[in-house]
Amino acid sequence: MFAQENAIFGIVAPAVHKLRKDLLSPLFSRRAVLGLEPLMQSKVDKFCIRLSERYDKGKASNLFFGYASMAVDIINEFCYGRCPEGLEALSDDTFESPLVMSTRHSINWTLWVYREFWWIRELVVNLPERLVNLFTPSNTWTVVMMNSLENMVDDMLRNPSVCKESSHPTIFGRFLNCDVSGGQRLLLRETLIQEAMGFIMAGSIELSSALAYGTFHVLNDPKVHQRLIEELVVAFPDPNNAVSFEILERLPYLTIVSTSAVYSHLDEFVYPGSNQFRPERMAYMELYMAFANVFRRFDMTIHETTSGDFKWKEYFGPGFVGRPLHAFTKPRAEYRAGSH
């Protein structure tokens, strides 16, 4: 269902891809990303509030969906300067918003078919919704997501100033800004919809997978868990007051955890030793902030999740085939949810 040939993640022509990349590059400099820290921290804080609410009800949290909800709300703010009305993923502690459920259920075997047989994808896209759902029930969620993104793009095309009202530069603000596109709207509606789809998928699937995988393995290894907590308590003495990313990125063991979470479920042939949970390569700002805040603020216990649930298949990104990570998230005594 994911037509991406006109989006930055799917453009084949080098010259066209360079134009799109150059348009967005200023938003991904270190300085620009650091400018998003207050936005990211606000979403992490809200996620922590939802975890606390869930625990107060005596229920385990679906951390995979929770991390995905946090990521979806961050990428929506980064793309559009706001969360679409009615689509805020962190709106409740079930973490089952339409965008989260659609990204989760849209990653399946159909992507292999669409990738290899483009004409099947085109056929399915143009079928009535009732027939699409017969082809595979998961497409129900894809239709929900597509309708939401189409409505969002149409709203921005009617009122481009919406993206400029944000406190920070936005991806779609760049797309719709005449000053950076030669005085004309750079992209057609269909291309904007493809870009919206691409950024939602890219901004949530890999991050939530890495966070869930890393959280499980830290909790599953008492020595790793204890060592991480000891480091965080020193650097993060009051869990009610956020610590800046520039401090977090200098914490050696947090770096080990964050980078291991990203790469330890990659292909063993490409990354030797990658099936072990160990320090490797690069990490991301959201990973550091999420791991630091969640582990510092909560005493977590895995609930009905095993290593077997993390067997995965490669689709658009890694798709875990088992039960999503669940855990009881008991707030630590010194943490007061909602006080930050």
Side-chain angles (χ1 to χ4, degrees):
M1 294 290 287
F2 303 121
Q4 288 285 296
E5 60 269 13
N6 296 318
I8 191 168
F9 298 109
I11 296 173
V12 175
V16 178
H17 185 272
K18 184 179 185 303
L19 287 174
R20 195 78 51 85
K21 180 178 69 69
D22 290 348
L23 183 65
L24 297 180
S25 288
L27 300 182
F28 291 91
S29 67
R30 177 176 173 84
R31 179 178 179 181
V33 172
L34 287 175
L36 296 173
E37 184 171 351
L39 160 65
M40 294 185 185
Q41 186 64 53
S42 71
K43 301 304 181 185
V44 172
D45 290 342
K46 193 162 190 176
F47 175 48
C48 290
I49 290 173
R50 296 294 180 248
L51 294 181
S52 182
E53 292 173 347
R54 191 75 175 172
Y55 183 81
D56 288 344
K57 296 175 182 177
K59 297 180 178 180
S61 290
N62 185 329
L63 288 180
F64 182 86
F65 282 13
Y67 285 134
S69 297
M70 179 191 71
V72 163
D73 280 357
I74 289 172
I75 195 63
N76 275 336
E77 292 272 6
F78 187 28
C79 282
Y80 320 113
R82 60 195 173 96
C83 286
E85 185 176 353
L87 293 177
E88 184 182 6
L90 290 171
S91 58
D92 65 66
D93 60 23
T94 66
F95 306 125
E96 294 183 353
S97 74
L99 287 181
V100 169
M101 297 301 287
S102 59
T103 54
R104 161 72 173 174
H105 292 290
S106 297
I107 303 302
N108 56 50
W109 62 271
T110 60
L111 294 182
W112 288 338
V113 176
Y114 299 147
R115 183 169 59 188
E116 300 299 327
F117 304 100
W118 63 267
W119 57 270
I120 294 180
R121 185 195 69 201
E122 293 300 314
L123 175 63
V124 173
V125 166
N126 290 289
L127 285 174
E129 182 176 333
R130 176 174 53 84
L131 295 179
V132 170
N133 294 338
L134 288 176
F135 181 65
T136 171
S138 65
N139 278 323
T140 301
W141 287 108
T142 306
V143 171
V144 170
M145 177 162 57
M146 288 300 298
N147 289 340
S148 300
L149 296 178
E150 287 174 4
N151 291 337
M152 207 166 7
V153 167
D154 288 341
D155 183 44
M156 288 185 292
L157 290 176
R158 285 192 297 268
N159 184 17
S161 63
V162 168
C163 292
K164 300 179 183 179
E165 294 169 358
S166 171
S167 60
H168 55 83
T170 65
I171 290 172
F172 275 72
R174 295 285 293 178
F175 285 155
L176 299 174
N177 187 343
C178 291
D179 294 337
V180 296
S181 58
Q184 297 180 350
R185 180 158 60 82
L186 183 67
L187 304 177
L188 299 176
R189 175 181 181 271
E190 181 59 33
T191 300
L192 291 172
I193 293 171
Q194 289 186 21
E195 292 285 14
M197 173 73 79
F199 277 103
I200 283 289
M201 302 298 286
S204 62
I205 294 173
E206 294 284 357
L207 180 63
S208 58
S209 297
L211 284 168
Y213 188 89
T215 298
F216 173 82
H217 281 280
V218 171
L219 295 177
N220 208 38
D221 188 324
K223 290 183 179 179
V224 171
H225 189 196
Q226 183 60 31
R227 186 172 174 183
L228 177 62
I229 296 302
E230 289 173 354
E231 182 179 75
L232 290 174
V233 168
V234 173
F236 199 167
D238 183 357
N240 302 292
N241 295 321
V243 175
S244 73
F245 170 68
E246 290 183 302
I247 291 176
L248 295 178
E249 69 176 338
R250 292 197 294 268
L251 300 181
Y253 206 67
L254 178 61
T255 298
I256 288 174
V257 169
S258 299
T259 54
S260 295
V262 174
Y263 289 101
S264 54
H265 60 278
L266 294 179
D267 194 309
E268 177 76 13
F269 178 78
V270 179
Y271 295 104
S274 63
N275 287 334
Q276 303 171 25
F277 193 69
R278 70 182 195 181
E280 298 286 354
R281 314 163 190 93
M282 61 179 289
Y284 305 109
M285 185 173 180
E286 291 170 86
L287 281 166
Y288 277 81
M289 295 177 69
F291 278 137
N293 283 272
V294 170
F295 278 100
R296 180 63 184 94
R297 291 172 171 176
F298 296 95
D299 181 10
M300 295 183 286
T301 306
I302 296 171
H303 177 64
E304 296 181 354
T305 310
T306 69
S307 59
D309 291 312
F310 288 90
K311 293 179 180 178
W312 61 279
K313 293 183 178 180
E314 192 282 326
Y315 299 113
F316 176 84
F320 296 124
V321 298
R323 170 180 164 84
L325 173 62
H326 283 67
F328 285 101
T329 53
K330 180 182 179 180
R332 298 187 184 278
E334 62 271 34
Y335 173 59
R336 300 180 301 279
S339 64
H340 32 71

